[in-house]
Amino acid sequence: MTTLGVVFLPQLPPERLRSVAVAADEAGLAELWLWEDCFLEGGLTSAAAALAWTRQLKVGLGLLPVPLRNVAVTAMELATLHRMFGGRALVGVGHGVQRWMEQVGARPESPMTLLREHLWALRALLAGDEVTVDGRYVKLDRVRLDWPPEPAPPLFAGATGPRSLRLCGEAADGVILTGGTSPKQIAEALRHVSQGRAASGREHESFPVVVYAHAATGKDAAQRLERERVRFGYPSMQDIGVAGDAATIAEAVARWAQAGATTVVLQPTPDDPDPEGFVRFAATEVAPLVRDR
């Protein structure tokens, strides 16, 4: 069954998160996803607050840029989230936007090496292992969490390039695909992910696939989606975005699901006039149609 979620865009002010999260929780939305885009809002702070304000809603964080954090700090933060809120936290890590990493003096010479070392150490720490490693970027000396989450949570990773996607399959427990990914591109991305899973002997394990999908509804939906096309520089919105009523959006979600997405996260436009209304619309009008397919 396909899970439906919605992004809380960090272009909205942080103080707006509470009303959107509560609306999503009360409406029965499955997942609300957050971004840690520079230099907007802190992802872990936002996730902890959203989880504390809600009772059933799962809160995804996709993704944390690994150049910004020591892996031990990341492990402590994630362990705290998972112990406090159980299985409601869903967290992914990734390279981050290299231009932003350069702005803060954190751009690595080898993003692939950093992500590989970070994923390996982070998964081991979250599993409660004592970790000693002397890598190119990750260096730990007998580090073990005093309060590891039980059980160890799934760790997502986000990527776009073939090598990074293979690494996601090899070293993560699920993959996050960016907005602007068409069903055809999902299938191609999962081919690289599958190669990584096979290389690590994990091809028979479950592997969630999360994809963001541009979406708009209501008055001026098509015009707002067109502004998104211009903002991101897409040649067309065909198969990467959808504007319309619940049935139209559910039909598009089905195409992403058929290509391999297990979770489709609707990405509203930053100028959506009613973010709270959008999460209610997704939960009460779109999600039932998705479930019925």
Side-chain angles (χ1 to χ4, degrees):
M1 185 178 72
T2 308
T3 299
L4 189 72
V6 174
V7 179
F8 174 84
L9 294 174
Q11 284 80 13
L12 295 172
E15 58 270 23
R16 191 71 178 267
L17 175 59
R18 182 170 191 163
S19 62
V20 174
V22 170
D25 195 44
E26 292 177 346
L29 185 71
E31 297 177 4
L32 183 70
W33 282 76
L34 310 173
W35 294 346
E36 190 171 72
D37 282 3
C38 297
F39 301 95
L40 293 165
E41 296 164 13
L44 288 165
T45 309
S46 299
L51 288 162
W53 289 325
T54 57
R55 300 181 63 184
Q56 303 177 77
L57 182 70
K58 289 188 176 182
V59 176
L61 181 49
L63 45 78
L64 294 174
V66 297
L68 295 183
R69 290 180 178 82
N70 179 282
V71 69
V73 175
T74 305
M76 289 190 297
E77 296 282 10
L78 299 194
T80 301
L81 273 184
H82 286 290
R83 289 190 70 108
M84 292 176 73
F85 301 107
R88 291 204 292 129
L90 307 168
V91 181
V93 299
H95 298 304
V97 176
Q98 295 306 294
R99 173 173 50 84
W100 293 338
M101 300 303 101
E102 187 169 5
Q103 279 184 272
V104 299
R107 182 171 184 165
E109 290 185 3
S110 175
M112 280 289 296
T113 301
L114 172 56
L115 184 57
R116 182 180 298 278
E117 291 180 356
H118 195 104
L119 280 169
W120 180 87
L122 184 55
R123 292 184 78 222
L125 289 167
L126 291 175
D129 298 342
E130 181 179 280
V131 181
T132 295
V133 60
D134 185 19
R136 180 174 177 181
Y137 297 103
V138 175
K139 300 179 186 293
L140 301 172
D141 181 15
R142 295 171 297 170
V143 176
R144 185 197 300 270
L145 295 179
D146 286 311
W147 296 105
E150 298 176 357
L155 180 62
F156 290 79
T160 55
R163 292 175 61 227
S164 295
L165 287 165
R166 285 194 291 272
L167 177 58
C168 290
E170 179 182 341
D173 303 302
V175 68
I176 301 170
L177 302 176
T178 186
T181 303
S182 69
K184 182 179 179 180
Q185 289 169 323
I186 291 175
E188 178 63 16
L190 293 185
R191 184 176 68 82
H192 298 298
V193 169
S194 296
Q195 291 172 356
R197 296 178 68 197
S200 61
R202 305 172 64 211
E203 61 266 42
H204 300 299
E205 298 177 10
S206 63
F207 194 87
V209 177
V210 179
V211 63
Y212 297 117
H214 295 281
T217 192
K219 184 179 178 181
D220 301 328
Q223 292 91 329
R224 286 187 281 112
L225 202 65
E226 170 61 14
R227 287 195 287 271
E228 284 293 87
R229 184 197 68 76
V230 173
R231 184 165 76 97
F232 284 96
Y234 302 137
S236 167
M237 271 295 187
Q238 184 175 355
D239 286 333
I240 61 173
V242 56
D245 60 11
T248 301
I249 293 176
E251 183 178 348
V253 168
R255 293 196 293 272
W256 280 296
Q258 289 164 4
T262 59
T263 297
V264 177
V265 184
L266 302 180
Q267 179 178 325
T269 62
D271 55 354
D272 188 292
D274 184 8
E276 292 84 0
F278 187 85
V279 296
R280 294 189 191 100
F281 163 76
T284 62
E285 298 186 45
V286 182
L289 298 177
V290 171
R291 286 193 295 268
D292 289 343
R293 287 181 175 270

